[in-house]
């Protein structure tokens, strides 16, 4: 089974993102949490940071937009060089049009679902997306506890994806004691912030998480 591990730089040293990325060579992508203090009650960084990280990072970037009005802003992150741009269904006026704009700008397009958001309405247009992100915490902050009750949603999305090339991502509380549960439910792409950058050896933590997901 293909397993992708994406450390979230939300838990890294904000003064040294370039160096922090060099500490996780075993990772598949780098997860960049963009927050605007409107869609979520927290503020991180935006387009200039992602543009610069895309220039210096040896790993591809997966941008998780926790912002209002992604229809307007998301394509710019694709133009900046992100590999994947994921926006929230709850914030988008027209998710399909926004996904198409992201793809036209050269990135993979992802749609994210908060814990209270049903996957059902989006499953009919799965072909428009390259990734579905099932949030396993309320978006906004790292270090929260994994919510295992969301595994029903992961299973529902996995069944709808079938053998399509759509990545099924989980984000929030992914650690050594939870990643197996998410993998068993059908996730293949795992975001981990505190479990990676809170470890003494972040790259060893990435390798351990990968092994646990594969088992
Ligand atoms: C939370 C972010 C996550 C966060 C996860 O809203 O979307 O990507 O960094 O952090 P951990 O892995 O610590 O739960
Ligand atoms: Zn995230």
């Amino acid at each position: 089974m293909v397993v992708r591990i994406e450390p979230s730089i939300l838990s890294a040293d904000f003064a040294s993102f370039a160096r922090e990325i060099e500490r996780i060579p075993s990772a598949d992508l780098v997860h960049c949490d963009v927050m605007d203090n409107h869609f979520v009650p927290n503020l991180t960084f935006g387009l200039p940071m992602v543009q610069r990280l895309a220039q210096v990072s040896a790993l591809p970037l997966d941008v998780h937009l926790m912002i209002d009005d992604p229809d307007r802003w998301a394509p710019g992150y694709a133009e900046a060089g992100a590999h994947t741009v994921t926006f929230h269904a709850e914030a988008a006026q027209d998710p399909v049009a926004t996904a198409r704009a992201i793809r036209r700008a050269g990135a993979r397009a992802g749609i994210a679902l908060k814990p209270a958001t049903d996957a059902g309405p989006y499953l009919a247009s799965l072909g428009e997306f390259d990734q579905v992100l099932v949030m396993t915490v309320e978006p906004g902050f790292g270090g929260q506890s994994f919510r295992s009750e969301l595994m029903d949603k992961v299973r529902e999305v996995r069944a709808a994806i079938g053998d399509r090339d759509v990545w099924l991502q989980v984000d929030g509380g992914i650690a050594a004691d939870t990643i197996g549960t998410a993998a068993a439910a059908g996730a293949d792409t795992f975001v981990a912030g505190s479990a990676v950058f809170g470890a003494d050896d972040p790259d060893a933590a990435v390798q351990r998480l990968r092994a646990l997901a594969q088992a």
Side-chain angles (χ1 to χ4, degrees), residues 35 52 54 57 62 71 86 104 107 113 133 135 161 165 170 172 179 209 212:
M35 304 186 192
R52 186 68 187 124
S57 174
D62 174 35
D71 312 81
T86 298
R104 270 199 307 276
L113 309 172
L133 166 52
M135 289 301 301
I161 288 174
D165 180 26
V170 284
I179 194 166
L209 288 172
L212 289 166

Side-chain angles (χ1 to χ4, degrees), residues 10-123:
L10 186 63
S11 294
D13 178 356
F14 268 53
S16 317
F17 278 156
R19 257 178 292 150
E20 292 284 73
I21 292 171
E22 290 170 4
R23 296 173 73 206
I24 47 163
S26 301
D28 297 282
L29 297 97
V30 178
H31 186 82
C32 303
D33 287 304
V34 173
M35 304 186 192
D36 67 351
N37 207 25
H38 291 270
F39 181 71
V40 289
N42 195 6
L43 182 66
T44 55
F45 50 80
L47 188 57
M49 178 68 83
V50 171
Q51 279 171 330
R52 186 68 187 124
L53 287 179
Q55 290 168 352
V56 302
S57 174
L59 296 171
L61 305 184
D62 174 35
V63 176
H64 176 194
L65 295 176
M66 284 162 275
I67 62 171
D68 282 345
D69 205 3
D71 312 81
R72 174 177 176 191
W73 299 110
Y77 289 84
E79 287 160 14
H83 173 277
T84 302
V85 180
T86 298
F87 60 90
H88 270 269
E90 306 84 4
Q93 296 291 325
D94 189 340
V96 168
T98 296
R100 289 179 180 172
I102 291 168
R103 284 176 164 179
R104 270 199 307 276
R108 288 171 64 95
I111 186 157
L113 309 172
K114 288 165 72 165
T117 303
D118 284 338
Y122 305 98
L123 298 180

